Amino acid sequence: MPARKANERTGARTPVPPPSHRLSEAQRHAWLRLIRAENVGPVTFRELINHFGGAEEALDALPELSRRGGRGKPIRVPSRRDIEAELARADAAGAHLVAIGEPGYPRALASVDAPPPLLYVKGRSDLLARPMVAIVGARSGSAAGQKMARLLATDLGRGGFVVASGLARGIDGAVHRAALERGTAAVVAGGIDVVYPPEHAELQQAIGRDGCLVSERPPGLEPRGQDFPRRNRIIAGMSLGVIVVEAAQRSGSLITARMAAEIGREVLAVPGHPLDPRAEGTNRLLKQGATLVACADDVIDCLRPQLEMPLASPSSALLAERDAEPGPEPTEIGTERERVLAALGPTPVDINEIARASGVGIRNVQIVLLELDLAGRLERHTGHTVSLVTAGGD
């Protein structure tokens, strides 16, 4: 995972349009119902909105799309009462919902491909508008590693950065405590009102008051294994760069670093002693091209070009519902569906390659992929690649 400079990776950039509107209450409820529907993630959400022009129209189409994709039972969609209960629980926890394109949504996160369409935020949402850098590391961080994390967080805060992390044990906790006075954001894997780990109850409360808590998951949800990579992607997306302080060869911190590299963020690492297993991951990152960090000035020098150059606004970023009618339903999709299925397999493949192999137009390929996705038969990977689910589908 080479950690190349973000501006070298992406080339010229265009500014993110400033937020210009808020969703109506009806749109907000429809967006929440859609993203909470079974088999709908950020990519599928974006594709549904882009195709049908709005969340209400997409919700109406879900049953038929999933049926055509081969699903044998109705797709689960939360009721309006379910959504009202979720919003009431968030309100009771002191959190509010912010949609992509609205004021308060992290602009850096809005620039990545298929960001979460909705986030719960608690505390100082103004922090999300400031330049942010993430510091992550081992849950069993050494005393020296935690001291280094505290020094970096303190000095970066003095330099005007908000410091983000994942509120985990070890390095993350040290980072948040050191950065709390000048600005810290914690992305949690579960509901914004769920304390995890339990020993961070007081710290999480302090961040929710003096810093900023962020979650894409519903209030009350206990974090599950699959929620942590999603949390890590948000941490990377919100930040201009990710600093890793101590990480074993296989760790969540390295997943965050890999995700940062994939979306064009800087990857930085603190070197460690070769005999310490907690340094294996960071030393490997340095061999792969990550920027070496010995002090906060190293970080600031590395990120300065990004501070001077606006973040990209990819065409796939969903900023608002369109005031448009749904696109016309393609003809002969039944025959073309079989050709698309024949082109798919367990190996991830680019959508353009599917179109080339099947002889089906991109628009129709995207519709078939939506159908398969909603039926639980498709897996999406990085780089806009997809594969068929080999087991466990309906």
Side-chain angles (χ1 to χ4, degrees):
M1 181 206 64
R4 294 177 293 171
K5 300 289 186 184
N7 55 334
E8 292 173 355
R9 181 196 310 277
T10 58
R13 296 181 169 196
T14 55
V16 175
S20 59
H21 79 292
R22 291 186 183 275
L23 296 180
S24 68
E25 184 178 358
Q27 286 177 321
R28 192 177 303 275
H29 282 216
W31 274 39
L32 197 51
R33 287 185 70 208
L34 185 58
I35 194 60
R36 297 288 185 252
E38 188 178 11
N39 294 336
V40 175
V43 175
T44 309
F45 182 97
R46 178 196 62 195
E47 297 297 326
L48 286 165
I49 294 285
N50 287 344
H51 180 67
F52 292 100
E56 285 285 4
E57 295 82 356
L59 285 165
D60 291 340
L62 286 184
E64 177 61 15
L65 287 171
S66 62
R67 185 196 64 79
R68 293 203 309 246
R71 185 178 176 86
K73 58 184 178 182
I75 192 168
R76 292 193 299 273
V77 179
S79 67
R80 288 179 173 83
R81 181 176 295 180
D82 294 333
I83 294 307
E84 289 170 359
E86 177 178 326
L87 291 170
R89 182 157 188 168
D91 185 63
H96 67 277
L97 202 62
V98 60
I100 184 171
E102 290 186 329
Y105 193 95
R107 293 189 66 197
L109 183 61
S111 75
V112 307
D113 183 47
L118 295 161
L119 293 173
Y120 280 111
V121 175
K122 179 179 179 180
R124 293 183 53 195
S125 57
D126 62 291
L127 295 176
L128 302 180
R130 287 169 46 189
M132 194 172 299
V133 61
I135 305 178
V136 297
R139 286 175 171 80
S140 59
S142 68
Q146 293 190 46
K147 179 180 179 180
M148 183 65 179
R150 288 196 302 270
L151 290 173
L152 288 173
T154 301
D155 291 343
L156 287 169
R158 289 172 177 154
F161 287 93
V162 173
V163 181
S165 198
L167 201 60
R169 299 178 177 93
I171 298 297
D172 289 19
V175 165
H176 288 305
R177 290 186 179 92
L180 186 59
E181 180 181 350
R182 293 177 177 83
T184 190
V187 184
V188 296
I192 205 162
D193 57 342
V194 175
V195 175
Y196 185 86
E199 60 265 34
H200 280 177
E202 186 176 340
L203 177 59
Q204 185 165 331
Q205 182 180 20
I207 296 172
R209 181 185 64 246
D210 301 323
C212 187
L213 290 172
V214 176
S215 175
E216 68 168 323
R217 309 305 289 152
L221 179 77
E222 294 287 339
R224 307 158 300 175
Q226 64 264 39
D227 295 320
F228 289 95
R230 296 173 63 142
R231 177 205 63 178
N232 295 345
R233 187 171 189 266
I234 295 174
I235 293 172
M238 286 169 47
S239 307
L240 299 178
V242 172
I243 308 165
V244 183
V245 182
E246 296 188 337
Q249 283 284 12
R250 299 180 64 181
S251 71
S253 300
L254 295 186
I255 294 174
T256 307
R258 174 178 57 78
M259 291 175 170
E262 289 172 351
I263 61 177
R265 302 296 193 252
E266 297 290 348
V267 177
L268 309 95
V270 175
H273 195 285
L275 296 181
D276 189 342
R278 290 169 292 200
E280 290 180 357
T282 50
N283 290 345
R284 180 155 58 92
L285 286 175
L286 292 169
K287 288 181 181 179
Q288 294 171 340
T291 299
L292 187 148
V293 173
C295 63
D297 284 343
D298 295 333
V299 181
I300 295 170
D301 289 344
C302 177
L303 298 182
R304 185 171 287 115
Q306 292 197 59
L307 294 171
E308 298 168 354
M309 184 180 297
L311 288 163
S313 178
S315 59
S316 58
L318 178 66
L319 296 179
E321 292 201 42
R322 303 195 312 271
D323 294 323
E325 294 296 322
E329 192 65 28
T331 59
E332 300 180 2
I333 191 70
T335 302
E336 294 188 337
R337 184 181 297 109
E338 298 304 318
R339 286 152 56 189
V340 171
L341 275 169
L344 286 165
T347 302
V349 62
D350 182 85
I351 293 175
N352 289 324
E353 291 299 326
I354 297 171
R356 186 176 293 112
S358 65
V360 177
I362 287 289
R363 179 176 173 77
N364 283 13
V365 169
Q366 290 173 330
I367 291 172
V368 174
L369 295 181
L370 263 179
E371 294 171 355
L372 295 171
D373 204 354
L374 292 169
R377 300 174 62 193
L378 191 78
E379 186 172 358
R380 295 187 183 270
H381 308 272
T382 57
H384 301 284
T385 60
V386 296
S387 65
L388 281 181
V389 174
T390 55
D394 288 302

